[in-house]
Amino acid sequence: MSKRDESQKMSHPFQNRADFALLLLTVFLCGMIVLVLEVLGSRVLGPYFGISLFIWTSLITITLISLSLGYTAGGFLSDRYQSRDLFYSLILGAGLSIMFIPMIQKPVSLAMTSLGPRLGCLATAFVLFTLPLTLLGMVAPFSLKLSLNELRRAGKISGNLYALSTLGGILGTLLVGFWMIPNLGLKNIFLMTSILLSVLSGSYFLMKKKWVLSCLSLLLIGTNLAMIVYPSDGSLHSEIIYKSQSYYGELKVLRKEALHMLMVDGAIQTAYQYETRQSKAPYTRLIEEIIQTDRNKSERKSFHGAVIGLGGGIIPEAEYKMGDAVDIVEIDPRIPEVAQAYFQFHPERFRLVLEDARHFLNENREKYHYLVLDVFAGESSPFYLLSRECFEQIKRSLTEDGILVINSIGLFSGEGSDFTASINRTLHHTFPHQALFTTSLKDNFSNYIFVASTKPLEYLTSDSEILNRQELHLTDRTGILLTDNYNPADYLEQETALRWRIAIWNSTSAGILLD
């Protein structure tokens, strides 16, 4: 066959520029929606399965499997049929499947609980996202087949289409992270995404006078709009008095009688007795005891402290009442508002810095007498705050006799204890003196409070009966030295995250987690 005959055989399927422009818009928007779904997946799975390494592992795995299936199926169907009617019918199907995600999210999550947090998370992601992502994956090969009019330009056309899809993904990631989630809510984003795909397919069907398919598109648009305007969610669970979504996670405030609890992605971070103004979280009382013992030992009259991770504001409020000046670093701008409204936090008493902790430490020029590191994302600790380089930045931010206090959750012995041992070993490479305390001597899975300084710390246990009673001695140096270059903290923490998530399931009703 000659090149001329081959070119004629691959005739251009588009009759006018409007058809081709609609195809390009479809490629762009479908690329955008793929990334929107992947980011939304973490917010859908997070409240019940937690934000940890196996959440993102599950989402990325399901996304790649689905796109691979879509590429294969789309290539096969486009070679066999090369039909724009089929192409836009697949897109309409993707819109329909996305509409069902918020409807089936809760029952699917509950059904997969029996598989455990890891496999259950993977199975839930598979059920919720495989079909829409597979259908969206078909867009790339199908659009390439529809766009080709001669083989010699196949490389250029395919490159342009994939670039257009990637640009859509970039826009989708930015939109969902910085605007959609905080302002629209998860359910509305799913429904609006379904509407967008329905509008794309419906526009084509109307242009080609495919009346039955046009009516189906309009029906899907109308159904989504009705669900947005007349939501059927009902009221929140009776114990939930506040709920908010953002790129930083899902926040809930629970009230059980006079007890207020701050929940981040399903994990309780703070418990506070509102009427008596007392913390019910044992780790906060232990940290306060450490700082008070250090204060009593010093001849200094005034103290300047820093708290990284605000939570309910319990620790900085306690130190303010002792006469300290306290700087607070918090990345989530909603936290100070929630702490003020539900945990009697007074932001005007403090210097409040809303930014990432590492950036703050890089730019900080203050010298603190103590620095409290109390940061969690769900049931995980941000790995980049546990590296040797981060501890060195903290050391530069402390006075010569300053102390670093770290709140962590982990295991002291047995499987999963490498996480605690690795924090200890990394601290040892930065600070010559360390001490370790626990909130529970009976439970291996517990809060562990690390104290590190350039000065000896024996006075903590000699001057405080409470600290003497709660001290542990971790002499084993088998942990890993965590650095910015090599930091498997997420991997080391998996056993801890798994136990914490199971404890959450056992102590918190599914209605609260999934509401």
Side-chain angles (χ1 to χ4, degrees), residues 7 10 102 174 205 249 254-255 265 274 282 374 447:
S7 178
M10 296 191 66
L174 293 173
F205 294 137
L254 312 182
R255 179 171 58 201
D265 285 318
Y274 195 81
D374 182 21
N447 283 83

Side-chain angles (χ1 to χ4, degrees), residues 51-52 248 269 308-309 330-331 356-358 373-387 390-391 406-409 419 423 482 484 487-491 493 500:
I51 298 296
S52 59
Y248 298 108
Q269 305 289 355
I308 298 179
E330 171 59 53
I331 194 172
D356 179 76
R358 281 296 291 267
L373 184 61
D374 182 21
V375 182
F376 293 92
E379 69 271 50
S380 299
S381 304
F383 68 92
Y384 60 94
L385 297 181
L386 299 176
S387 69
C390 182
F391 291 159
I406 301 175
N407 175 37
S408 72
I409 294 181
F419 177 64
I423 297 175
L482 304 174
D484 286 345
N487 193 338
D490 281 347
Y491 172 77
E493 197 179 15
W500 194 352

Side-chain angles (χ1 to χ4, degrees), residues 175-403:
L175 280 176
V176 74
F178 291 108
W179 186 73
M180 287 183 174
I181 290 177
N183 293 288
L184 300 179
L186 297 185
K187 180 179 178 180
N188 286 343
I189 299 173
F190 281 118
L191 297 178
M192 292 173 68
T193 302
S194 178
I195 289 173
L196 183 58
L197 292 173
S198 304
V199 168
L200 285 173
S201 55
S203 298
Y204 167 78
F205 294 137
L206 285 172
M207 288 168 54
K208 302 305 175 184
K209 299 181 180 179
K210 306 287 184 178
W211 304 120
V212 174
L213 292 172
S214 297
C215 289
L216 287 176
S217 300
L218 291 173
L219 178 62
L220 186 54
I221 293 170
T223 302
N224 280 290
L225 287 173
M227 293 170 66
I228 293 174
V229 176
Y230 303 104
S232 58
D233 287 345
S235 59
L236 291 173
H237 191 281
S238 59
E239 292 182 7
I240 301 174
I241 57 177
Y242 173 87
K243 178 181 177 181
S244 173
Q245 283 278 1
S246 86
Y247 191 73
Y248 298 108
E250 181 187 68
L251 288 185
K252 290 176 181 174
V253 178
L254 312 182
R255 179 171 58 201
K256 293 184 177 180
E257 297 179 352
L259 188 67
H260 286 191
M261 293 174 287
L262 177 65
M263 176 179 281
V264 181
D265 285 318
I268 298 293
Q269 305 289 355
T270 298
Y272 183 72
Q273 194 77 31
Y274 195 81
E275 293 179 353
T276 61
R277 303 190 177 191
Q278 300 228 346
S279 170
K280 292 301 179 181
Y283 82 90
T284 63
R285 297 196 293 271
L286 198 56
I287 290 175
E288 289 169 19
E289 180 69 17
I290 291 169
I291 296 174
Q292 181 62 49
T293 303
D294 182 67
R295 184 186 292 110
N296 293 341
K297 188 69 173 179
S298 174
E299 297 179 357
R300 189 180 293 107
K301 294 183 178 180
S302 61
F303 281 76
H304 189 189
V307 176
I308 298 179
L310 174 61
I314 293 170
I315 294 173
E317 284 286 352
E319 305 319 316
Y320 172 83
K321 291 174 183 176
M322 298 305 299
D324 297 355
V326 182
D327 294 348
I328 301 170
V329 183
E330 171 59 53
I331 194 172
D332 191 337
R334 300 169 302 166
I335 294 290
E337 298 174 3
V338 171
Q340 182 178 13
Y342 300 100
F343 296 91
Q344 298 177 331
F345 171 68
H346 300 84
E348 70 279 1
R349 296 174 173 175
F350 308 95
R351 176 188 171 222
L352 183 61
V353 181
L354 294 175
E355 65 178 359
D356 179 76
R358 281 296 291 267
H359 183 265
F360 168 79
L361 291 170
N362 286 337
E363 303 296 325
N364 178 56
R365 297 296 178 267
E366 296 286 341
K367 290 289 187 179
Y368 298 107
H369 302 113
Y370 59 85
L371 188 149
V372 179
L373 184 61
D374 182 21
V375 182
F376 293 92
E379 69 271 50
S380 299
S381 304
F383 68 92
Y384 60 94
L385 297 181
L386 299 176
S387 69
R388 178 182 61 188
E389 290 82 358
C390 182
F391 291 159
E392 288 173 349
Q393 290 173 333
I394 291 174
K395 185 178 181 180
R396 289 193 295 270
S397 294
L398 291 172
T399 59
E400 290 186 3
D401 61 346
I403 61 171

Side-chain angles (χ1 to χ4, degrees), residues 290-291 293-295 297 369-370 398 400-406 424 427 431-437 449-464 467-468 471 473:
I290 291 169
I291 296 174
T293 303
D294 182 67
R295 184 186 292 110
K297 188 69 173 179
H369 302 113
Y370 59 85
L398 291 172
E400 290 186 3
D401 61 346
I403 61 171
L404 166 63
V405 183
I406 301 175
N424 185 69
L427 282 171
F431 295 91
H433 303 281
Q434 302 92 36
L436 178 63
F437 305 94
I449 311 299
F450 292 89
V451 184
S453 181
T454 57
K455 66 181 179 182
L457 296 171
E458 288 80 4
Y459 68 92
L460 291 175
T461 51
S462 62
D463 293 359
S464 170
L467 297 180
N468 183 56
E471 186 183 22
H473 296 280

